[in-house]
Amino acid sequence: MTGREEETLTAVLGARSAAPLGKLGLATVGDLLRHFPRRYAGPGKLTDMDQLALGEHVTVMARVARASVRTMRARSGALLQAVVTDGRHELALTFFAKRPGALRPHEEKLRPQSVGLFTGVVTEYRGTRQLTHPDYIMVGLDADDEESAMVEASRPIPIYPASSGVPSWRIDRAVRTVLDPLREGDVDDPVPIEVRARLGLAGRLDTLRSVHRPYDDDEWARARKRLRFEEAFVLQAALAQRRARATGQEATARPPRPAGAPSLLADLDAALPFELTEGQVSVGEDLARELADARPMQRLLQGEVGSGKTVVALRAMLQVIDAGGQAALLAPTEVLAAQHARTLRQLLGPLAEGGMLGGAAHGTRVALLTGSLGAAARKEALLQAASGEAGIVVGTHALLADKVQFADLGLVVVDEQHRFGVEQRDVLRAKGRTAPHLLVMTATPIPRTVAMTVFGDLETSTLTQVPAGRAGITSHVVPAGNPRWMERTWARVREEVDAGHRAYVVCPRIHPDEDLPVSGDAARKDFDDVPDLLELVDADAGKAGERAPLRAVLEVAPMLRETPQLAGLEVGVLHGQMAPADKEAAMAAFAAGDLQVLVSTTVIEVGVDVPEATVMVVFDADRFGLSQLHQLRGRVGRGSAAGLCLLVSSALPGTSAATRVEALAQTTDGFKLAALDLELRSEGDVLGAAQSGRSSSLRLLRVVQDAEVIARARHEAADVVTSDPELDHQPALRAAIAAQLDDEQEEFLERA
Ligand code: ADP
Ligand code: MG
């Protein structure tokens, strides 16, 4: 690298100026140049002081109304009191000193009518908001002559993320010192010149000047846009490289059987009890084409809850089996793995009984491999996988173990994938003779740009349609504190059960005497109860402590058994701490109708499919993320009878928790909800960085609002990587990718 961005601030600014910047985590020239202003104070525009909150560290631009020094009678010493104003509200500034003389310099600078930037922590004294000993700087005083003073005074003033001890303008000064002597060639530009030329983007040095030292608002707005593009571009180039490396591997082509030839896929299609939706057909064609190619398919299948992703995946698996290969289906939990095996066997019928009496002659087998299998069953499953007798092997992470071998692994399907890392995906892929094709399915719809960002190394297919003939689902918010509503809730559950249907009751905790909601409990042995990346509960919602404790499965189940409206019903429980066999038994009893009410944690969230379930009651609904609630709700209304979801909430009106729950009651469009969910959270949450307490590595880019920028960047990055896969001619871009991957970015890519 030729750039000077690696130089330390100590070397450039001296230790004294560099030390305070170190407190903000700024060590190098590059760090400082990437410390962008949070906002800009307009030169003529004073800060609206109505907005100032007590206790907050603020930087305000205001006009001095008056200032005077006086000696204090009560105790020795002098006091300077000034009042600054935004034209409507006033803010007091107070300075103390031993002698009045020490305050004179302040008095000189704080001339009435002059404008300055003042920074400090807002306190209140006798009903007046004030800053005590604020740091401040008067606008326009820095320039040498009157003309440049005028120009300076008309420029927007950058306000940096600051802290007490490191006021915004100290950062401003440091930035100037660093920026002014830089020349073209001193900073590296990760955006290649051809791309800049094509899109009419300024060079990086000019951009940095514009963002830190703009002459007008347009200038910094343009610069920020260009920096957002740069962020998106670097990220997309990294993903494009990942994609290129994966598709550069050799795969085995698995073309469909010619028409008329015996084929599991044709037999399944003939036996399906329903018509495929248009979406299922067209996504199916895409998959069929890519599986027939000798480059590994890299596809993300996302779709509305209940849109029928499983059948799409099964059809792909059968094409591979027809061509002599095997498929592995990786699920995040034992419950889900077992359920998938059951579903696949059911859909396949005699086709899954290869070699068995009454099975189809060319049939195959579905093997289930989970950690909790007994030794004999395990051996049998391993054997079926290794011999190729099982065309489909379903399992949890147990599939990743070294002992698991395949005769000819041709396709890996990862269901509800965000709980598996890229590394785990790679372990499975390494079990093929050639690179297996990859199909990843997400649990819930995600906005397009999130797909491009988080799953950016995959091509995306989307199922938006839900099969016809579904009666749909109605949702209502039930205020938790209202006994009449709760009575009505149980009466509705009773009515559904009496009509031959079943009910889920979801609680956020397992044990009533445990403090933590299940989602916050890191000690869980498997992933069953843990909400995923996009679906963390809102930590603020219950902070105040004035609300009742979260409802727990083991408290609610006994309570329901005593509830008059539910008298005589069988109430069961399901949660992640139960032994796998007990979980299985509970699910099976519920599916068979031996249990009519199932009280459970979010363990039922992912993919559990009992068509007779028509009603779901969610306790503490305000504590769940939107996508998670949507996914949960997708468990009911799957059959021909209408679904009902009752969201018990104690969120106060107007809070984001209340907004979330109400939004859910109003729409069943998962893509809309996912976008809203993103808006209601900070970007850091979305990218998982908030959990580690670090700020998001995305500085300016906003995943939702910057959709177009991300799409554009993806396109351009793909071009660049196609013509220069290892980026030999783009050292700056290569370096930027490496730096970014070193950061927490790597962490989140791995998580994806
Ligand atoms: P998801 O996309 O949420 O994983 P599933 O694959 O579990 O959805 O499908 C939900 C239900 O819809 C299943 O019972 C499945 O058999 C059924 N299903 C799938 N495709 C169709 C279709 N084209 N018509 C009717 N029912 C379908
Ligand atoms: Mg599913």
Side-chain angles (χ1 to χ4, degrees), residues 35-355:
H35 190 69
F36 302 128
R38 185 201 305 281
R39 62 188 172 85
Y40 299 82
K45 248 168 73 195
L46 306 181
T47 309
D48 183 357
M49 299 207 284
D50 215 14
Q51 313 264 328
L52 301 184
L54 280 181
E56 211 177 297
H57 186 268
V58 299
T59 303
V60 299
M61 173 117 94
R63 187 180 302 282
V64 178
R66 52 191 180 274
S68 59
V69 175
R70 58 187 172 81
T71 50
M72 288 185 289
R73 256 168 277 143
R75 41 191 184 116
S76 70
L79 172 72
L80 181 141
Q81 275 197 309
V83 169
V84 298
T85 172
D86 62 1
R88 289 184 303 145
H89 310 278
E90 297 195 330
L91 179 67
L93 313 179
T94 315
F95 299 83
F96 299 98
K98 284 242 164 58
R99 291 168 298 103
L103 294 170
R104 293 292 171 222
H106 288 305
E107 197 182 16
E108 299 252 298
K109 279 201 262 178
L110 296 169
R111 270 173 307 195
Q113 296 309 311
S114 59
V115 171
L117 274 175
F118 304 89
T119 191
V121 175
V122 183
T123 56
E124 200 168 43
Y125 180 70
R126 292 189 179 158
T128 306
R129 277 180 293 182
Q130 68 167 10
L131 306 178
T132 306
H133 280 281
D135 269 319
Y136 67 95
I137 188 170
M138 303 312 291
V139 173
L141 277 190
D142 269 352
D144 311 341
D145 58 67
E146 214 168 299
E147 194 180 339
S148 55
M150 296 265 289
V151 173
E152 284 304 311
S154 71
R155 292 172 82 154
I157 295 165
I159 308 291
Y160 288 93
S163 68
S164 36
V166 198
S168 175
W169 52 88
R170 190 159 299 155
I171 300 170
D172 193 5
R173 287 249 168 82
V175 169
R176 277 192 229 187
T177 310
V178 163
L179 200 52
D180 284 350
L182 289 183
R183 296 288 160 261
E184 237 18 277
D186 285 342
V187 295
D188 293 319
D189 197 332
V191 183
I193 190 152
E194 316 84 70
V195 175
R196 270 182 279 152
R198 188 160 45 240
L199 302 183
L201 298 175
R204 188 144 196 278
L205 183 59
D206 285 343
T207 303
L208 290 172
R209 290 225 161 90
S210 296
V211 84
H212 289 294
R213 309 268 302 119
Y215 280 93
D216 55 37
D217 289 347
D218 282 350
E219 187 178 348
W220 64 253
R222 255 196 323 277
R224 287 172 75 93
K225 208 169 147 194
R226 138 88 218 227
L227 289 166
R228 281 202 290 274
F229 177 82
E230 181 180 312
E231 267 187 44
F233 181 79
V234 172
L235 179 58
Q236 292 300 334
L239 293 165
Q241 271 195 311
R242 198 186 266 272
R243 212 158 55 223
R245 287 188 189 134
T247 49
Q249 293 173 306
E250 193 197 338
T252 305
R254 314 280 181 179
R257 282 289 176 90
S263 137
L264 286 169
L265 178 53
D267 290 353
L268 176 81
D269 284 348
L272 274 182
F274 46 72
E275 291 254 319
L276 294 175
T277 64
E278 266 171 50
Q280 285 171 322
V281 171
S282 85
V283 170
E285 284 165 0
D286 290 344
L287 300 186
R289 194 170 349 95
E290 289 179 11
L291 291 173
D293 199 346
R295 283 175 313 167
M297 174 172 89
Q298 301 283 317
R299 204 160 262 283
L300 172 73
L301 173 57
Q302 63 156 331
E304 186 55 271
V305 174
S307 58
K309 295 185 283 289
T310 314
V311 166
V312 172
L314 176 59
R315 295 184 69 248
M317 292 191 250
L318 294 184
Q319 177 172 331
V320 169
I321 299 168
D322 280 337
Q326 288 169 288
L329 171 56
L330 197 55
T333 66
E334 299 226 337
V335 169
L336 194 54
Q339 148 113 21
H340 269 312
R342 209 167 35 229
T343 309
L344 296 182
R345 286 184 188 131
Q346 213 167 20
L347 282 165
L348 287 167
L351 298 175
E353 294 166 6

Side-chain angles (χ1 to χ4, degrees), residues 34 45 98 253 267 437 478 515 563 581 619 637 718:
R34 282 189 300 271
K45 248 168 73 195
K98 284 242 164 58
D267 290 353
H437 299 280
V478 177
D515 283 349
T563 299
F619 274 111

Side-chain angles (χ1 to χ4, degrees), residues 309-310 336 340 415-416 441-443 606-607 631 635 638:
K309 295 185 283 289
T310 314
L336 194 54
H340 269 312
D415 191 18
E416 326 294 10
M441 304 196 284
T442 61
V606 267
Q631 177 70 24
R635 302 306 108 209
R638 307 197 122 212

